[in-house]
Amino acid sequence: MKINGTPYRSVWVNEKDGWSIHIFDQTRLPFSLDILRLTTQQEVAHAISTMQVRGAPLIGAVAAYGLALALRQDASDAAMEQNAAMLAATRPTAVNLRWAIERMLNSLRPVAPENRVAAAYAEAGRICDEDAAQNEAIGRHGLELIREIAKNRPAGTQINLLTHCNAGWIATVDWGTALAPIYMAHDEGLNVHVWVDETRPRNQGAALTAWELGSHGVPHTVIADNAGGHLMQHGQVDLVIVGTDRVTRTGDVANKIGTYLKALAAQDNKVPFWVALPSTTIDWSVANGVTEIPIEERTASEITHVAGRGEDGKQTRVQITPDGSPAANPAFDVTPARLVTGLITERGVCPATEDGLRSLFPEQ
Ligand code: MRU
């Protein structure tokens, strides 16, 4: 995707700069577009756990490069296995992270240690290219759903979409998952407008989704997380579309905390609720999302404090709770498959069921 006319991916290697890894510091957006240069596996692990880099597909891709950086220090079998485990443990819910590390290990184990660094950069590069291509395909399949709504309306009628968290290009290597169809619809002239849930506590919607959509010229409105049900009751949402961090083989969907409540409201108001995902987000080993998907519990300070830009123009944090009030911060929830209208994958759309997923991925 482009920033001020220049095409970017969300992660890239600078071969002329010691093969360092570059990402945008997402904790600085939308007020400042800072590029972070990562040169060690420790820096990569820190960037993932502090959410300087985030979004299920992107943390997998960046962790893959983290393993390449680790191999530059020590390419032995023991160090590789230990560093892979350390990277995989940086965040627990998004299965893409584990998937990317396992794929790296499977391709690197048969390679002699002296050839592992080059092989690791090459494999991480393939993971990135495939993610970008998968998301573009998701965009094309999801676009059909938006076209279908447009077809049944007078030409030019506004189509109102609602999304939660950030599943845009900055959460993936390129394009995004939930936002890819929206970009394509906008680019082909459909009159789309997006309700952007602010997505407390870290405000990925307000900070990142709004920034992405605004940079691309997509009309959007940021709303409080609690506003979606009201808008649905008043016919102001035509389609909900979200990303996900892990989908079970039965179609349960883990995504940013608050997604489940949107799905409940959508069902009550007969608003279609779609989930966009690359196949790297499917956990074929899990059948029951509510009981089996590990939910990340993040620091209480993300609830007690809010980050933003002060009136002096500087980025700052302010406390919003009384001193001493305890806070809890589950970062994800699970939307049961029965509330999901369908899944949008790189191979097409399917019902959120085991049969549906297996019809698209029979090799599983
Ligand atoms: O905690 P985050 O910001 O990494 O959570 C991200 C989400 O919940 C996204 O919706 C999900 O990773 C899909 S990104 C294409």
Side-chain angles (χ1 to χ4, degrees), residues 24-32 34 36 47 50-54 202 207-208 307 315:
F24 295 106
D25 183 348
Q26 299 194 32
T27 63
R28 304 282 296 164
L29 284 165
F31 307 114
S32 160
D34 294 357
L36 278 180
T50 59
M51 294 177 64
Q52 288 172 318
V53 68
R54 49 150 294 283
R202 290 188 64 103
L208 303 173
Q315 290 188 52

Side-chain angles (χ1 to χ4, degrees), residues 18 74 77 157 235 253 259 286 360:
D74 186 343
D77 285 357
T157 308
V253 170
T259 304
V286 168
L360 291 181

Side-chain angles (χ1 to χ4, degrees), residues 44-306:
V44 167
H46 178 260
I48 295 173
S49 53
T50 59
M51 294 177 64
Q52 288 172 318
V53 68
R54 49 150 294 283
L58 185 58
I59 59 176
V62 174
Y65 278 122
L67 192 58
L69 292 174
L71 290 167
R72 291 172 61 171
Q73 304 300 318
D74 186 343
S76 67
D77 285 357
M80 182 171 73
E81 300 292 337
Q82 198 185 350
N83 287 322
M86 187 271 221
L87 282 163
T90 47
R91 292 195 74 191
T93 303
V95 78
N96 308 60
L97 179 58
R98 191 185 77 197
W99 170 87
I101 292 294
E102 276 171 11
R103 172 162 159 174
M104 292 292 285
L105 287 175
N106 288 337
S107 82
L108 293 168
R109 282 188 188 115
V111 176
E114 60 273 23
N115 297 326
R116 275 183 182 155
V117 171
Y121 274 102
E123 189 67 9
R126 281 189 285 274
I127 287 174
C128 288
D129 291 345
E130 287 170 27
D131 185 62
Q134 285 169 344
N135 296 328
E136 189 176 359
I138 287 168
R140 286 195 302 272
H141 297 302
L143 171 62
E144 292 300 328
L145 302 172
I146 303 175
R147 281 184 182 150
E148 203 52 41
I149 296 172
K151 221 169 67 186
N152 298 317
R153 304 271 173 86
T157 308
Q158 182 167 287
I159 299 166
N160 289 301
L161 308 154
L162 183 143
T163 193
H164 192 70
C165 196
N166 170 262
W169 71 267
I170 198 88
T172 65
V173 175
D174 206 352
W175 282 101
T177 56
L179 296 194
I182 297 174
Y183 288 129
M184 290 184 188
H186 172 79
D187 289 350
E188 77 169 27
L190 293 175
N191 185 8
V192 286
H193 163 263
V194 187
W195 298 110
V196 177
D197 285 352
E198 60 176 346
T199 316
R200 276 283 288 150
R202 290 188 64 103
N203 292 321
Q204 290 95 327
L208 303 173
T209 302
W211 172 74
E212 275 196 33
L213 293 172
S215 307
H216 201 85
V218 181
H220 63 281
T221 306
V222 180
I223 51 172
D225 287 328
N226 300 326
H230 163 77
L231 294 171
M232 291 182 210
Q233 281 176 327
H234 290 271
Q236 293 184 66
V237 182
D238 297 304
L239 179 78
V240 180
I241 181 165
V242 297
T244 167
D245 293 81
R246 194 186 298 220
V247 170
T248 66
R249 66 169 185 271
T250 54
D252 292 343
V253 170
N255 192 44
K256 183 51 55 192
I257 193 77
T259 304
Y260 171 47
L261 289 176
K262 293 296 164 302
L264 284 169
Q267 188 176 66
D268 194 43
N269 291 284
K270 301 188 176 42
V271 173
F273 183 95
W274 285 86
V275 180
L277 63 137
S279 52
T280 52
T281 305
I282 305 169
D283 187 343
W284 295 96
S285 72
V286 168
N288 185 328
V290 175
T291 58
E292 293 178 72
I293 295 178
I295 299 296
E296 180 178 14
E297 183 77 32
R298 293 188 62 85
T299 171
S301 69
E302 292 181 350
I303 304 293
T304 58
H305 292 67
V306 175

